[in-house]
Amino acid sequence: GAIHALSSVIEKRDPFTTGHQLHVTEIALAIADEMGLDEDPVAGIKFGALIHDIGKIGSPADILAKPSALSDDEYEIVKCHTTDGYNILKDINFPWPIADMAHQHHERIDGTGYPQGLKGEEMCLESRILAVADVVIAMQSHRPYREAKPLEEVLQEIVAHKGSYYDPTVVDICVRLADAGKLTAPKKL
Protein backbone atom coordinates (compact mmCIF):
# COMPACT_ATOMS: atom_id res chain seq x y z
CA GLY A 1 0.00 0.00 0.00
CA ALA A 2 2.80 2.43 0.85
CA ILE A 3 4.51 1.78 -2.49
CA HIS A 4 1.26 2.40 -4.38
CA ALA A 5 0.78 5.65 -2.44
CA LEU A 6 4.31 6.78 -3.30
CA SER A 7 3.70 5.95 -6.94
CA SER A 8 0.58 8.13 -6.93
CA VAL A 9 2.43 11.05 -5.33
CA ILE A 10 5.13 10.93 -8.01
CA GLU A 11 2.58 10.99 -10.80
CA LYS A 12 0.86 14.02 -9.27
CA ARG A 13 4.17 15.89 -9.63
CA ASP A 14 4.61 14.87 -13.28
CA PRO A 15 1.18 15.14 -14.97
CA PHE A 16 2.48 14.26 -18.44
CA THR A 17 3.49 10.81 -17.28
CA THR A 18 0.34 9.78 -15.41
CA GLY A 19 0.17 6.00 -15.49
CA HIS A 20 3.78 5.66 -16.66
CA GLN A 21 5.04 3.70 -13.66
CA LEU A 22 2.02 1.37 -13.76
CA HIS A 23 2.49 0.70 -17.48
CA VAL A 24 6.22 0.13 -16.99
CA THR A 25 5.37 -2.30 -14.20
CA GLU A 26 3.05 -4.27 -16.49
CA ILE A 27 5.72 -4.62 -19.18
CA ALA A 28 8.49 -5.43 -16.68
CA LEU A 29 6.34 -8.13 -15.07
CA ALA A 30 5.50 -9.64 -18.46
CA ILE A 31 9.21 -9.80 -19.31
CA ALA A 32 10.09 -11.29 -15.90
CA ASP A 33 7.33 -13.89 -16.26
CA GLU A 34 8.52 -14.83 -19.74
CA MET A 35 12.06 -15.16 -18.37
CA GLY A 36 10.74 -17.66 -15.84
CA LEU A 37 11.99 -15.72 -12.84
CA ASP A 38 10.98 -16.94 -9.40
CA GLU A 39 8.23 -15.27 -7.40
CA ASP A 40 10.58 -13.37 -5.10
CA PRO A 41 12.52 -11.39 -7.74
CA VAL A 42 9.26 -10.79 -9.62
CA ALA A 43 7.82 -9.16 -6.49
CA GLY A 44 10.89 -6.94 -6.31
CA ILE A 45 10.50 -5.95 -9.96
CA LYS A 46 6.87 -5.09 -9.32
CA PHE A 47 7.59 -2.81 -6.39
CA GLY A 48 10.72 -1.31 -7.92
CA ALA A 49 8.97 -0.51 -11.20
CA LEU A 50 6.06 1.12 -9.38
CA ILE A 51 8.39 3.66 -7.75
CA HIS A 52 11.37 3.79 -10.13
CA ASP A 53 10.80 7.51 -10.77
CA ILE A 54 10.38 8.48 -7.09
CA GLY A 55 13.36 10.81 -7.41
CA LYS A 56 11.27 13.11 -9.63
CA ILE A 57 9.76 14.38 -6.39
CA GLY A 58 12.88 16.56 -6.20
CA SER A 59 12.64 17.82 -9.79
CA PRO A 60 11.19 21.33 -10.30
CA ALA A 61 7.52 21.10 -11.28
CA ASP A 62 7.92 23.68 -14.05
CA ILE A 63 10.52 21.47 -15.74
CA LEU A 64 8.43 18.30 -15.35
CA ALA A 65 5.36 20.05 -16.80
CA LYS A 66 7.20 21.92 -19.56
CA PRO A 67 5.16 21.61 -22.77
CA SER A 68 8.23 21.58 -25.01
CA ALA A 69 11.57 19.81 -25.27
CA LEU A 70 13.93 20.35 -22.36
CA SER A 71 17.08 22.44 -22.69
CA ASP A 72 20.40 20.74 -21.95
CA ASP A 73 20.47 22.32 -18.48
CA GLU A 74 16.90 21.21 -17.73
CA TYR A 75 17.69 17.70 -18.89
CA GLU A 76 20.69 17.57 -16.55
CA ILE A 77 18.37 18.51 -13.68
CA VAL A 78 15.84 15.80 -14.59
CA LYS A 79 18.62 13.21 -14.86
CA CYS A 80 19.23 13.72 -11.13
CA HIS A 81 16.00 11.82 -10.42
CA THR A 82 17.89 8.52 -10.53
CA THR A 83 20.31 9.51 -7.78
CA ASP A 84 17.59 11.31 -5.83
CA GLY A 85 15.47 8.15 -6.00
CA TYR A 86 18.36 6.04 -4.79
CA ASN A 87 18.97 8.39 -1.87
CA ILE A 88 15.29 8.30 -0.90
CA LEU A 89 15.13 4.49 -1.00
CA LYS A 90 18.61 3.30 0.02
CA ASP A 91 17.97 3.17 3.77
CA ILE A 92 14.68 1.26 3.50
CA ASN A 93 15.27 -2.39 4.26
CA PHE A 94 13.62 -3.94 1.21
CA PRO A 95 14.36 -7.60 0.49
CA TRP A 96 14.98 -6.59 -3.16
CA PRO A 97 17.28 -4.09 -4.88
CA ILE A 98 14.59 -1.38 -5.10
CA ALA A 99 17.01 1.52 -4.52
CA ASP A 100 19.36 0.12 -7.18
CA MET A 101 16.48 -0.14 -9.64
CA ALA A 102 15.67 3.55 -9.17
CA HIS A 103 19.36 4.39 -9.49
CA GLN A 104 20.13 2.20 -12.51
CA HIS A 105 17.07 2.36 -14.79
CA HIS A 106 18.78 4.83 -17.17
CA GLU A 107 22.09 2.97 -17.28
CA ARG A 108 23.04 1.32 -20.59
CA ILE A 109 24.80 -1.99 -21.21
CA ASP A 110 27.69 -0.23 -22.98
CA GLY A 111 28.28 2.19 -20.09
CA THR A 112 26.82 5.26 -21.84
CA GLY A 113 23.88 5.62 -19.48
CA TYR A 114 23.58 7.62 -16.31
CA PRO A 115 24.27 8.36 -13.50
CA GLN A 116 27.09 5.85 -12.87
CA GLY A 117 28.08 4.69 -16.34
CA LEU A 118 27.57 1.05 -15.37
CA LYS A 119 28.22 -1.66 -17.96
CA GLY A 120 26.56 -5.00 -18.56
CA GLU A 121 26.10 -7.09 -15.46
CA GLU A 122 27.25 -4.24 -13.22
CA MET A 123 23.54 -3.42 -13.48
CA CYS A 124 21.27 -5.75 -11.56
CA LEU A 125 18.98 -7.92 -13.71
CA GLU A 126 15.93 -6.09 -12.35
CA SER A 127 17.34 -2.80 -13.65
CA ARG A 128 18.12 -4.29 -17.05
CA ILE A 129 14.49 -5.41 -17.31
CA LEU A 130 13.22 -2.06 -16.06
CA ALA A 131 15.38 -0.14 -18.56
CA VAL A 132 13.68 -1.86 -21.51
CA ALA A 133 10.17 -1.62 -20.06
CA ASP A 134 10.72 2.07 -19.25
CA VAL A 135 11.84 3.02 -22.75
CA VAL A 136 9.09 0.97 -24.43
CA ILE A 137 6.40 2.80 -22.47
CA ALA A 138 8.07 6.23 -22.69
CA MET A 139 8.39 6.05 -26.47
CA GLN A 140 4.77 4.89 -26.90
CA SER A 141 3.46 7.73 -24.77
CA HIS A 142 2.42 11.12 -26.09
CA ARG A 143 4.32 14.12 -24.77
CA PRO A 144 3.49 17.76 -25.47
CA TYR A 145 6.71 18.08 -27.47
CA ARG A 146 6.37 14.85 -29.51
CA GLU A 147 3.83 12.32 -30.65
CA ALA A 148 3.67 8.78 -29.34
CA LYS A 149 5.52 6.28 -31.51
CA PRO A 150 3.85 3.09 -32.71
CA LEU A 151 4.96 -0.16 -31.08
CA GLU A 152 6.62 -1.34 -34.29
CA GLU A 153 8.89 1.73 -34.31
CA VAL A 154 9.65 1.31 -30.60
CA LEU A 155 10.64 -2.32 -31.17
CA GLN A 156 12.92 -1.32 -34.06
CA GLU A 157 14.59 1.18 -31.72
CA ILE A 158 15.27 -1.31 -28.93
CA VAL A 159 16.44 -3.97 -31.38
CA ALA A 160 18.81 -1.43 -32.98
CA HIS A 161 20.34 -0.86 -29.53
CA LYS A 162 20.26 -4.47 -28.37
CA GLY A 163 23.58 -5.28 -26.73
CA SER A 164 24.67 -1.64 -26.62
CA TYR A 165 21.98 0.13 -24.63
CA TYR A 166 19.76 -2.78 -23.68
CA ASP A 167 20.26 -6.32 -22.43
CA PRO A 168 19.96 -8.64 -25.47
CA THR A 169 17.95 -11.30 -23.64
CA VAL A 170 15.49 -8.74 -22.30
CA VAL A 171 15.07 -7.17 -25.76
CA ASP A 172 14.48 -10.58 -27.38
CA ILE A 173 11.82 -11.41 -24.80
CA CYS A 174 10.16 -8.03 -25.20
CA VAL A 175 9.98 -8.51 -28.98
CA ARG A 176 8.60 -12.03 -28.50
CA LEU A 177 5.90 -10.68 -26.18
CA ALA A 178 5.00 -8.02 -28.76
CA ASP A 179 4.87 -10.59 -31.57
CA ALA A 180 2.51 -12.68 -29.41
CA GLY A 181 0.26 -9.63 -28.86
CA LYS A 182 1.12 -9.42 -25.18
CA LEU A 183 2.36 -5.81 -25.27
CA THR A 184 -0.07 -3.00 -25.83
CA ALA A 185 0.34 0.75 -26.05
CA PRO A 186 -0.34 2.58 -22.81
CA LYS A 187 -3.88 3.86 -22.55
CA LYS A 188 -4.45 7.53 -21.97
CA LEU A 189 -5.68 7.89 -18.40
Side-chain angles (χ1 to χ4, degrees):
I3 287 176
H4 286 282
L6 287 171
S7 182
S8 295
V9 167
I10 298 157
E11 293 191 350
K12 294 287 184 200
R13 291 266 305 144
D14 189 0
F16 292 124
T17 60
T18 299
H20 170 78
Q21 293 183 124
L22 181 59
H23 297 306
V24 169
T25 302
E26 291 168 353
I27 300 297
L29 290 175
I31 292 169
D33 185 56
E34 188 73 15
M35 290 179 86
L37 297 182
D38 291 335
E39 187 177 311
D40 187 60
V42 170
I45 290 168
K46 175 183 176 182
F47 295 127
L50 281 170
I51 58 173
H52 73 275
D53 280 336
I54 193 169
K56 286 186 177 180
I57 199 79
S59 301
D62 59 323
I63 293 176
L64 293 176
K66 185 177 178 182
S68 61
L70 299 178
S71 70
D72 290 343
D73 289 340
E74 290 167 332
Y75 182 58
E76 288 302 315
I77 290 169
V78 170
K79 284 170 54 175
C80 292
H81 82 279
T82 56
T83 300
D84 291 344
Y86 175 78
N87 287 330
I88 290 167
L89 298 169
K90 68 180 179 176
D91 295 325
I92 300 172
N93 189 20
F94 289 113
W96 314 284
I98 303 292
D100 289 335
M101 291 173 69
H103 206 202
Q104 298 175 4
H105 72 277
H106 285 289
E107 298 287 355
R108 299 296 176 245
I109 295 297
D110 63 4
T112 61
Y114 64 87
Q116 302 172 86
L118 299 179
K119 291 182 179 182
E121 292 188 11
E122 293 175 340
M123 297 168 60
C124 65
L125 175 61
E126 294 88 343
S127 296
R128 297 192 316 264
I129 292 169
L130 183 56
V132 170
D134 188 47
V135 77
V136 165
I137 294 303
M139 289 180 68
Q140 288 186 88
S141 301
H142 172 78
R143 297 291 185 265
Y145 52 90
R146 67 155 172 79
E147 291 298 314
K149 296 185 181 200
L151 180 59
E152 299 76 31
E153 192 173 325
V154 172
L155 294 175
Q156 289 172 359
E157 176 76 16
I158 65 170
V159 167
H161 294 289
K162 178 174 103 170
S164 57
Y165 290 1
Y166 311 113
D167 183 291
T169 302
V170 176
V171 169
D172 289 344
I173 289 171
C174 187
V175 170
R176 244 190 350 256
L177 289 167
D179 289 346
K182 296 180 180 178
L183 296 184
T184 58
K187 300 167 189 67
K188 290 185 179 180
L189 299 176

